[in-house]
Amino acid sequence: MDDLERLADDIRDAETVVAFTGAGISEPSGVPTFRGDDGVWDKFDEGQFTYGRFRRDPEGFWNDRVELQRVMFDGEYEPNAAHEALAAMGRDGYLEAILTQNTDGLHGEAAESVGDESAAEEADETTILELHGNSQRVRCIDCGKRVDGDPIFERAADGERPPTCDCGGVYKPDVVLFGEQLPGAVIQRARSLARESDVFLAIGSSLVVEPAASLPRLAASSGATVGIVNLESTPVDGSADVIVREDVTDVLPAIRDLVEK
Ligand SMILES: [Zn+2]
C-alpha cells in the first residue's frame, strides 16, 4: 500500500487534483458497458445510433433509441463506493474536478448523496465535466433547451417519435453520438484542468480513445503526479507515477481514508 500512501500524500499537498473516470468506475454499479463481451454493442448495431442517422431519420433513430434506453437504463443504478469516495473528497475540498467519459450521471448523484455537511460555506464546488454528455437528459436541437430525459423517453416509448420540444424542435439524447464532435469548449476545459493539475488520477478507463489517451500525458508533461487505477494495463502506463490494478471500489475509499486520516 506504499503507492497509495504516496498518492494520498501528494493529494493532500496538491493545490489542484483532477480525477478522470471511464466505464470501469460504473461497472460495479451494474451499468452495462458498450464494448467487450456482453457489451451493449453486442446486442445493438452501433451504426444505427450515429449522428448522421439522427439527422436523416429521427423517427427511426428514436425507435431504436427507446430499445437501447430500455436495455441500458432498465434498472435504477446507484453510485458505488468509488463514486462516493470521489464525491466525499470533493466535498471536503481535496478535488477540483471530475472529468468523465460516462454518461450515466452517477458522479452527480454521488455528489448529491454525500450532501454538504461542511461545504455549505465552501465557495467552490467540485466541477463535474461530462465529456460525452448525460444520457438521463435530452436536448432540443433547435432552441438548445436541456430537460430531464425520463418523461421524454416515456413519451417516445408511448409512440411520439421523434419527441419534440415546445418550440417544435426535435429532442436528441444529450450525449455525443457517433460521428458527432465532442463540444470544443468542454475539451478545452478538460485540457486546461489536466495541465493545471498537480495530481491527475485516471480511474477505470482503458485510456485508448481520445481525449482519454492524451489527458494523462498532458498532465504528466506539465509535472503532475499521475496515478492510474485500472484492472488492465493501458497505453499510458509509461507516463504514470503510480499504477494500481485493483478494484476501484476498494482503491478509492482506501485513498480517501489515507487522505483524510
Ligand atoms: Zn426547443
Side-chain angles (χ1 to χ4, degrees):
M1 284 309 220
D2 283 352
D3 275 353
L4 290 192
E5 265 165 29
R6 178 180 163 203
L7 212 46
D9 282 348
D10 283 0
I11 290 171
R12 229 184 344 239
D13 295 343
E15 209 153 289
T16 305
V17 179
V18 172
F20 176 87
T21 69
I25 198 171
S26 291
E27 253 182 286
S29 291
V31 177
T33 54
F34 284 99
R35 311 252 165 229
D37 296 343
D38 218 28
V40 171
W41 299 136
D42 253 11
K43 304 182 189 79
F44 290 90
D45 173 5
E46 58 187 276
Q48 301 304 309
F49 298 95
T50 62
Y51 186 59
R53 185 184 185 206
F54 171 79
R55 300 304 301 218
R56 222 168 33 242
D57 174 21
E59 184 184 346
F61 174 92
W62 270 97
N63 286 341
D64 290 330
R65 181 70 202 199
V66 164
E67 282 306 307
L68 178 74
Q69 195 79 4
R70 205 171 277 152
V71 169
M72 280 289 296
F73 294 103
D74 188 21
E76 281 283 299
Y77 303 121
E78 305 276 341
N80 60 52
H83 295 107
E84 278 159 12
L86 286 179
M89 286 201 291
R91 176 198 64 199
D92 299 338
Y94 292 107
L95 198 58
E96 176 82 13
I98 299 171
L99 319 180
T100 187
Q101 296 174 285
N102 302 336
T103 62
D104 51 44
L106 290 179
H107 286 298
E109 282 183 38
E112 275 173 36
S113 75
V114 300
D116 46 319
E117 295 154 21
S118 64
E121 289 135 51
E122 264 173 54
D124 322 301
E125 269 185 37
T126 307
T127 302
I128 299 174
L129 210 56
E130 295 172 316
L131 300 174
H132 296 262
N134 185 320
S135 51
Q136 309 298 331
R137 282 193 318 248
V138 297
R139 180 173 176 273
C140 169
I141 57 166
D142 284 346
C143 72
K145 190 167 75 173
R146 289 185 161 87
V147 297
D148 177 20
D150 277 348
I152 308 301
F153 284 109
E154 260 169 49
R155 276 161 51 187
D158 287 345
E160 186 193 336
R161 299 176 199 166
T164 53
C165 172
D166 296 338
C167 83
V170 171
Y171 277 128
K172 174 183 158 301
D174 194 15
V175 294
V176 177
L177 301 174
F178 294 112
E180 190 178 17
Q181 294 234 325
L182 268 68
V186 172
I187 294 299
Q188 286 290 336
R189 186 93 194 279
R191 292 177 64 84
S192 67
L193 281 162
R195 222 177 281 121
E196 281 165 32
S197 66
D198 304 303
V199 177
F200 188 94
L201 287 179
I203 302 154
S205 170
S206 53
L207 302 175
V208 172
V209 295
E210 285 302 329
S214 59
L215 292 172
R217 288 200 180 98
L218 195 55
S221 66
S222 309
T225 299
V226 173
I228 294 180
V229 183
N230 197 51
L231 290 174
E232 278 111 46
S233 65
T234 81
V236 186
D237 286 358
S239 304
D241 300 280
V242 174
I243 297 170
V244 188
R245 299 213 196 290
E246 285 168 62
D247 194 306
V248 292
T249 58
D250 294 329
V251 178
L252 271 299
I255 292 174
R256 186 204 163 195
D257 286 348
L258 289 167
V259 167
E260 306 208 7
K261 76 178 174 201

